[in-house]
């Protein structure tokens, strides 16, 4: 544990790292139109600015978690934040489509290594109980706030400085975090007698995840059964099945499958999947609504998300009280319920409306977002041995990443089927696009309702579990 290091500084570094990861996910949305105009992206190529990040992030999460456990969490944290900062620098300097896409991939790789390292450092730098739960709450809350703050900041930077600044803003933060990490964070790693790294398992799961994510990203564009998508998708499935065989035969598996017997971890992973499939797609569809239906500028679009940001901040402050009163399952179920209500309110959006029309829905969603995002990571770390915290956090993050890809892909498929067209949403007229966005929010509400059921079934504590009502400290006795 971190006995001699400044814990306040450690928490700031870890929280800031989570903030920029979440912020980077949404900050790019508002900048896309300006970026496309500057570099000459076509509609089909532009989606790779987002997809390159998703491919690398989703593909390398699991190996990132295991490397953190084996090579050292602080070491991987510093390497990861360095890669993320380098990718951001290259993105801001990019003068070609290829360089920008490569930079986004490098950011995704850095994020895949950073996310599990950050969470496992919280476990090793803060004492179990009230101290750790408080740190987890702040860390996860920064992720929820970062998602909505990214849209606001993206609008301001794009309008007044330029799209390049949405990349450059990460560089000094990443550099400062790297400098302070040795001062604030204590190193920890899992002792390994044989020092085996399960190379075969690493290659199979990483390649398999990349191919699966590629299939989910490209299928709505090229077709679910198109040869260019179905072959990579089937190959990805084969590689993941091969990974299962390898893991059952190796002495030191990349992912110990016994972890999946822990209800708290599997419940958290399923929750993360459903959270990202519903709440995670909100930003894409609302950005389309403000910029393509209402024809707002980047800064107008960004400021229209301010109420969502503020409600997410308020929700973060209420987490400990919620967990103390309702427990983990109840808090997540409440958050999912608020999301369902907010999404249904957003189905009333009109092509002749204004930002005032979606403020009530987004305020309610912001509260629910904070409740779910924070608590699902607290659930994911419950009952996990310290030596496996990195891979456990990577499993939850993988659920979140895959959920976002599948959620968006399924939503787009349903929209195409309901409208009888495979045209890109950006090419639709205002009436068609508004109808498509309304359909998306109905789907999001349905997914959130499923999330309530999953939370109450998978995360409901056993009789031996208790919740400290004073501190909201979850412990298993």
């Amino acid at each position: 544990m971190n006995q001699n290091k400044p814990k306040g500084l450690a928490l700031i570094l870890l929280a800031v790292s989570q903030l920029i990861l979440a912020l980077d996910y949404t900050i790019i949305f508002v900048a896309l139109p300006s970026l496309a105009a500057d570099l000459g992206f076509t509609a089909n190529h532009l989606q790779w600015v987002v997809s390159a990040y998703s491919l690398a992030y989703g593909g390398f999460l699991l190996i990132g978690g295991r490397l953190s456990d084996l090579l050292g969490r602080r070491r991987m944290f510093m390497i990861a934040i360095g890669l993320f900062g380098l990718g951001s620098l290259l993105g801001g300097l990019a003068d070609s489509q290829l360089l920008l896409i490569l930079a986004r991939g490098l950011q995704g790789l850095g994020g895949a290594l950073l996310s599990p390292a950050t969470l496992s450092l919280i476990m090793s730098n803060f004492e179990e109980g009230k101290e750790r739960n408080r740190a987890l709450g702040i860390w996860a809350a920064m992720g929820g706030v970062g998602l909505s703050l990214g849209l606001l900041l993206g609008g301001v930077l794009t309008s007044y400085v330029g799209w390049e600044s949405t990349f450059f803003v990460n560089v000094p933060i990443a550099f400062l975090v790297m400098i302070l990490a040795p001062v604030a964070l204590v190193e920890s790693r899992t002792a390994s007698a044989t020092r085996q790294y399960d190379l075969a398992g690493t290659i199979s799961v990483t390649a398999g995840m990349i191919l699966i994510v590629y299939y989910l990203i490209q299928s709505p564009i090229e077709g679910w059964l198109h040869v260019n998508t179905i072959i990579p998708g089937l190959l990805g499935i084969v590689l993941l099945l091969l990974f299962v065989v390898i893991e059952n035969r190796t002495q030191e598996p990349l992912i110990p499958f016994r972890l999946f017997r822990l209800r708290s971890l599997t419940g958290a992973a399923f929750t993360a999947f459903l959270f990202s499939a519903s709440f995670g797609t909100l930003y894409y569809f609302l950005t389309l609504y403000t910029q393509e239906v209402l024809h707002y500028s980047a800064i107008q679009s960004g400021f229209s998300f301010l109420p969502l940001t503020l409600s997410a901040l308020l929700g973060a402050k209420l987490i400990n009280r919620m967990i103390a009163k309702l427990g983990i399952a109840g808090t997540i179920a409440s958050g999912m319920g608020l999301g369902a209500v907010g999404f249904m309110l957003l189905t009333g959006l009109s092509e002749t409306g204004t930002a005032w029309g979606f403020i009530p829905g987004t305020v309610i969603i912001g509260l629910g977002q904070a409740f779910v995002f924070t608590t699902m990571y607290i659930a994911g770390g419950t009952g996990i041995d310290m030596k496996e915290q990195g891979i456990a956090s990577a499993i939850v993050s993988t659920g979140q990443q895959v959920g976002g890809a599948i959620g968006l892909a399924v939503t787009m498929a349903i929209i195409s089927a309901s409208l009888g067209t495979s045209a890109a949403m950006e090419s639709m007229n205002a009436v068609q696009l508004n109808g498509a966005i309304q359909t998306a929010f109905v789907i999001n509400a349905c997914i959130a309702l499923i999330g309530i059921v999953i939370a109450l079934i998978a995360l409901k504590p056993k009789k031996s579990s208790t919740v400290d009502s004073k501190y909201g400290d979850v412990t298993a006795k």
Side-chain angles (χ1 to χ4, degrees), residues 20 81 84-92 107 164-178:
I20 63 172
I81 197 70
F84 189 83
L86 178 59
S88 299
L89 177 63
L90 293 176
Q107 279 187 311
E164 297 90 345
S165 61
T166 63
F167 289 91
F168 286 141
V169 69
N170 296 320
V171 178
I173 299 174
F175 180 76
L176 186 60
V177 169
M178 281 186 66

mmCIF file of all heavy atoms in Angstrom, residues 20 81 84-92 107 164-178:
data_model
loop_
_atom_site.group_PDB
_atom_site.id
_atom_site.type_symbol
_atom_site.label_atom_id
_atom_site.label_comp_id
_atom_site.label_asym_id
_atom_site.label_seq_id
_atom_site.Cartn_x
_atom_site.Cartn_y
_atom_site.Cartn_z
ATOM 1 N N ILE A 20 -9.149 12.317 -18.916
ATOM 2 C CA ILE A 20 -8.750 12.578 -20.302
ATOM 3 C C ILE A 20 -9.088 11.393 -21.208
ATOM 4 O O ILE A 20 -9.348 11.572 -22.401
ATOM 5 C CB ILE A 20 -7.260 12.960 -20.424
ATOM 6 C CG1 ILE A 20 -6.337 11.828 -19.983
ATOM 7 C CG2 ILE A 20 -6.971 14.235 -19.672
ATOM 8 C CD1 ILE A 20 -4.865 12.102 -20.285
ATOM 9 N N ILE A 81 0.495 6.451 -20.557
ATOM 10 C CA ILE A 81 0.194 7.870 -20.657
ATOM 11 C C ILE A 81 1.150 8.537 -21.652
ATOM 12 O O ILE A 81 0.780 9.493 -22.353
ATOM 13 C CB ILE A 81 0.272 8.560 -19.269
ATOM 14 C CG1 ILE A 81 -0.440 9.919 -19.299
ATOM 15 C CG2 ILE A 81 1.693 8.715 -18.795
ATOM 16 C CD1 ILE A 81 -1.928 9.838 -19.414
ATOM 17 N N PHE A 84 -0.245 7.667 -25.106
ATOM 18 C CA PHE A 84 -1.445 8.465 -25.323
ATOM 19 C C PHE A 84 -1.082 9.911 -25.659
ATOM 20 O O PHE A 84 -1.652 10.518 -26.573
ATOM 21 C CB PHE A 84 -2.333 8.429 -24.078
ATOM 22 C CG PHE A 84 -3.682 9.050 -24.276
ATOM 23 C CD1 PHE A 84 -4.719 8.333 -24.848
ATOM 24 C CD2 PHE A 84 -3.925 10.360 -23.885
ATOM 25 C CE1 PHE A 84 -5.971 8.909 -25.036
ATOM 26 C CE2 PHE A 84 -5.160 10.947 -24.069
ATOM 27 C CZ PHE A 84 -6.192 10.208 -24.641
ATOM 28 N N GLY A 85 -0.112 10.463 -24.937
ATOM 29 C CA GLY A 85 0.336 11.826 -25.209
ATOM 30 C C GLY A 85 0.993 11.952 -26.571
ATOM 31 O O GLY A 85 0.774 12.934 -27.289
ATOM 32 N N LEU A 86 1.792 10.941 -26.954
ATOM 33 C CA LEU A 86 2.443 10.959 -28.263
ATOM 34 C C LEU A 86 1.405 10.888 -29.380
ATOM 35 O O LEU A 86 1.497 11.608 -30.388
ATOM 36 C CB LEU A 86 3.417 9.783 -28.372
ATOM 37 C CG LEU A 86 4.148 9.633 -29.713
ATOM 38 C CD1 LEU A 86 4.963 10.879 -30.031
ATOM 39 C CD2 LEU A 86 5.033 8.382 -29.697
ATOM 40 N N GLY A 87 0.407 10.019 -29.210
ATOM 41 C CA GLY A 87 -0.663 9.933 -30.197
ATOM 42 C C GLY A 87 -1.408 11.254 -30.336
ATOM 43 O O GLY A 87 -1.767 11.670 -31.445
ATOM 44 N N SER A 88 -1.626 11.923 -29.204
ATOM 45 C CA SER A 88 -2.308 13.214 -29.223
ATOM 46 C C SER A 88 -1.479 14.269 -29.954
ATOM 47 O O SER A 88 -2.008 15.074 -30.732
ATOM 48 C CB SER A 88 -2.593 13.679 -27.786
ATOM 49 O OG SER A 88 -3.426 12.763 -27.113
ATOM 50 N N LEU A 89 -0.169 14.255 -29.713
ATOM 51 C CA LEU A 89 0.721 15.209 -30.383
ATOM 52 C C LEU A 89 0.708 14.983 -31.895
ATOM 53 O O LEU A 89 0.587 15.938 -32.683
ATOM 54 C CB LEU A 89 2.135 15.065 -29.835
ATOM 55 C CG LEU A 89 3.207 15.956 -30.478
ATOM 56 C CD1 LEU A 89 2.896 17.433 -30.254
ATOM 57 C CD2 LEU A 89 4.593 15.614 -29.933
ATOM 58 N N LEU A 90 0.830 13.724 -32.307
ATOM 59 C CA LEU A 90 0.817 13.414 -33.733
ATOM 60 C C LEU A 90 -0.528 13.761 -34.362
ATOM 61 O O LEU A 90 -0.587 14.214 -35.512
ATOM 62 C CB LEU A 90 1.133 11.929 -33.941
ATOM 63 C CG LEU A 90 2.551 11.473 -33.577
ATOM 64 C CD1 LEU A 90 2.684 9.968 -33.751
ATOM 65 C CD2 LEU A 90 3.582 12.205 -34.437
ATOM 66 N N GLY A 91 -1.613 13.550 -33.618
ATOM 67 C CA GLY A 91 -2.929 13.900 -34.135
ATOM 68 C C GLY A 91 -3.073 15.384 -34.390
ATOM 69 O O GLY A 91 -3.615 15.806 -35.413
ATOM 70 N N GLY A 92 -2.577 16.197 -33.466
ATOM 71 C CA GLY A 92 -2.655 17.644 -33.640
ATOM 72 C C GLY A 92 -1.783 18.148 -34.780
ATOM 73 O O GLY A 92 -2.102 19.155 -35.423
ATOM 74 N N GLN A 107 -3.335 6.549 -29.886
ATOM 75 C CA GLN A 107 -4.096 6.972 -28.709
ATOM 76 C C GLN A 107 -4.890 5.796 -28.129
ATOM 77 O O GLN A 107 -4.939 5.617 -26.911
ATOM 78 C CB GLN A 107 -5.074 8.083 -29.093
ATOM 79 C CG GLN A 107 -4.480 9.474 -29.176
ATOM 80 C CD GLN A 107 -5.563 10.522 -29.386
ATOM 81 O OE1 GLN A 107 -6.425 10.384 -30.252
ATOM 82 N NE2 GLN A 107 -5.532 11.574 -28.590
ATOM 83 N N GLU A 164 -7.332 20.979 -34.205
ATOM 84 C CA GLU A 164 -6.046 20.456 -33.727
ATOM 85 C C GLU A 164 -5.913 20.555 -32.214
ATOM 86 O O GLU A 164 -5.276 19.712 -31.567
ATOM 87 C CB GLU A 164 -4.883 21.212 -34.388
ATOM 88 C CG GLU A 164 -4.805 21.063 -35.894
ATOM 89 C CD GLU A 164 -5.587 22.134 -36.631
ATOM 90 O OE1 GLU A 164 -6.409 22.823 -35.986
ATOM 91 O OE2 GLU A 164 -5.380 22.286 -37.857
ATOM 92 N N SER A 165 -6.535 21.587 -31.632
ATOM 93 C CA SER A 165 -6.422 21.793 -30.185
ATOM 94 C C SER A 165 -7.110 20.710 -29.387
ATOM 95 O O SER A 165 -6.775 20.493 -28.212
ATOM 96 C CB SER A 165 -6.995 23.159 -29.806
ATOM 97 O OG SER A 165 -8.372 23.242 -30.148
ATOM 98 N N THR A 166 -8.058 19.984 -29.991
ATOM 99 C CA THR A 166 -8.701 18.881 -29.269
ATOM 100 C C THR A 166 -7.722 17.728 -29.045
ATOM 101 O O THR A 166 -7.935 16.884 -28.176
ATOM 102 C CB THR A 166 -9.943 18.367 -30.026
ATOM 103 O OG1 THR A 166 -9.555 17.838 -31.298
ATOM 104 C CG2 THR A 166 -10.958 19.486 -30.218
ATOM 105 N N PHE A 167 -6.657 17.697 -29.824
ATOM 106 C CA PHE A 167 -5.576 16.731 -29.611
ATOM 107 C C PHE A 167 -4.497 17.321 -28.711
ATOM 108 O O PHE A 167 -4.032 16.681 -27.764
ATOM 109 C CB PHE A 167 -4.953 16.318 -30.954
ATOM 110 C CG PHE A 167 -5.825 15.447 -31.795
ATOM 111 C CD1 PHE A 167 -6.700 16.007 -32.722
ATOM 112 C CD2 PHE A 167 -5.784 14.071 -31.677
ATOM 113 C CE1 PHE A 167 -7.503 15.205 -33.516
ATOM 114 C CE2 PHE A 167 -6.583 13.256 -32.456
ATOM 115 C CZ PHE A 167 -7.450 13.822 -33.383
ATOM 116 N N PHE A 168 -4.086 18.552 -29.013
ATOM 117 C CA PHE A 168 -2.985 19.169 -28.275
ATOM 118 C C PHE A 168 -3.275 19.332 -26.783
ATOM 119 O O PHE A 168 -2.355 19.346 -25.963
ATOM 120 C CB PHE A 168 -2.644 20.544 -28.876
ATOM 121 C CG PHE A 168 -1.915 20.473 -30.185
ATOM 122 C CD1 PHE A 168 -2.213 21.381 -31.201
ATOM 123 C CD2 PHE A 168 -0.928 19.522 -30.411
ATOM 124 C CE1 PHE A 168 -1.542 21.329 -32.417
ATOM 125 C CE2 PHE A 168 -0.261 19.467 -31.624
ATOM 126 C CZ PHE A 168 -0.568 20.374 -32.631
ATOM 127 N N VAL A 169 -4.551 19.460 -26.423
ATOM 128 C CA VAL A 169 -4.889 19.688 -25.023
ATOM 129 C C VAL A 169 -4.423 18.542 -24.129
ATOM 130 O O VAL A 169 -4.137 18.743 -22.938
ATOM 131 C CB VAL A 169 -6.424 19.894 -24.876
ATOM 132 C CG1 VAL A 169 -7.187 18.600 -25.144
ATOM 133 C CG2 VAL A 169 -6.771 20.439 -23.490
ATOM 134 N N ASN A 170 -4.280 17.338 -24.692
ATOM 135 C CA ASN A 170 -3.845 16.189 -23.899
ATOM 136 C C ASN A 170 -2.339 16.167 -23.632
ATOM 137 O O ASN A 170 -1.886 15.529 -22.673
ATOM 138 C CB ASN A 170 -4.210 14.886 -24.613
ATOM 139 C CG ASN A 170 -5.700 14.685 -24.761
ATOM 140 O OD1 ASN A 170 -6.463 14.985 -23.861
ATOM 141 N ND2 ASN A 170 -6.113 14.173 -25.911
ATOM 142 N N VAL A 171 -1.570 16.828 -24.493
ATOM 143 C CA VAL A 171 -0.112 16.673 -24.459
ATOM 144 C C VAL A 171 0.507 17.189 -23.160
ATOM 145 O O VAL A 171 1.252 16.450 -22.486
ATOM 146 C CB VAL A 171 0.527 17.344 -25.688
ATOM 147 C CG1 VAL A 171 2.050 17.228 -25.624
ATOM 148 C CG2 VAL A 171 0.001 16.706 -26.975
ATOM 149 N N PRO A 172 0.260 18.431 -22.751
ATOM 150 C CA PRO A 172 0.881 18.887 -21.492
ATOM 151 C C PRO A 172 0.368 18.114 -20.285
ATOM 152 O O PRO A 172 1.124 17.900 -19.313
ATOM 153 C CB PRO A 172 0.497 20.369 -21.420
ATOM 154 C CG PRO A 172 -0.695 20.507 -22.302
ATOM 155 C CD PRO A 172 -0.509 19.504 -23.398
ATOM 156 N N ILE A 173 -0.892 17.697 -20.320
ATOM 157 C CA ILE A 173 -1.435 16.916 -19.198
ATOM 158 C C ILE A 173 -0.699 15.591 -19.087
ATOM 159 O O ILE A 173 -0.279 15.179 -17.996
ATOM 160 C CB ILE A 173 -2.945 16.691 -19.384
ATOM 161 C CG1 ILE A 173 -3.690 18.021 -19.410
ATOM 162 C CG2 ILE A 173 -3.488 15.794 -18.280
ATOM 163 C CD1 ILE A 173 -5.170 17.884 -19.731
ATOM 164 N N ALA A 174 -0.533 14.899 -20.224
ATOM 165 C CA ALA A 174 0.160 13.608 -20.222
ATOM 166 C C ALA A 174 1.604 13.757 -19.759
ATOM 167 O O ALA A 174 2.115 12.936 -18.976
ATOM 168 C CB ALA A 174 0.114 12.983 -21.618
ATOM 169 N N PHE A 175 2.278 14.824 -20.214
ATOM 170 C CA PHE A 175 3.676 15.051 -19.825
ATOM 171 C C PHE A 175 3.787 15.289 -18.326
ATOM 172 O O PHE A 175 4.657 14.719 -17.647
ATOM 173 C CB PHE A 175 4.228 16.249 -20.602
ATOM 174 C CG PHE A 175 5.666 16.561 -20.278
ATOM 175 C CD1 PHE A 175 6.685 15.776 -20.776
ATOM 176 C CD2 PHE A 175 5.981 17.644 -19.469
ATOM 177 C CE1 PHE A 175 8.016 16.056 -20.468
ATOM 178 C CE2 PHE A 175 7.299 17.943 -19.153
ATOM 179 C CZ PHE A 175 8.316 17.136 -19.659
ATOM 180 N N LEU A 176 2.906 16.105 -17.765
ATOM 181 C CA LEU A 176 2.946 16.409 -16.341
ATOM 182 C C LEU A 176 2.665 15.161 -15.503
ATOM 183 O O LEU A 176 3.312 14.929 -14.475
ATOM 184 C CB LEU A 176 1.927 17.506 -16.015
ATOM 185 C CG LEU A 176 1.931 18.048 -14.590
ATOM 186 C CD1 LEU A 176 3.289 18.664 -14.254
ATOM 187 C CD2 LEU A 176 0.826 19.086 -14.404
ATOM 188 N N VAL A 177 1.697 14.362 -15.949
ATOM 189 C CA VAL A 177 1.371 13.128 -15.228
ATOM 190 C C VAL A 177 2.566 12.178 -15.215
ATOM 191 O O VAL A 177 2.875 11.557 -14.196
ATOM 192 C CB VAL A 177 0.136 12.445 -15.853
ATOM 193 C CG1 VAL A 177 -0.045 11.038 -15.293
ATOM 194 C CG2 VAL A 177 -1.120 13.270 -15.583
ATOM 195 N N MET A 178 3.277 12.068 -16.339
ATOM 196 C CA MET A 178 4.460 11.209 -16.405
ATOM 197 C C MET A 178 5.543 11.670 -15.440
ATOM 198 O O MET A 178 6.203 10.854 -14.777
ATOM 199 C CB MET A 178 5.028 11.207 -17.828
ATOM 200 C CG MET A 178 4.287 10.326 -18.813
ATOM 201 S SD MET A 178 5.149 10.277 -20.410
ATOM 202 C CE MET A 178 6.658 9.423 -19.949
#
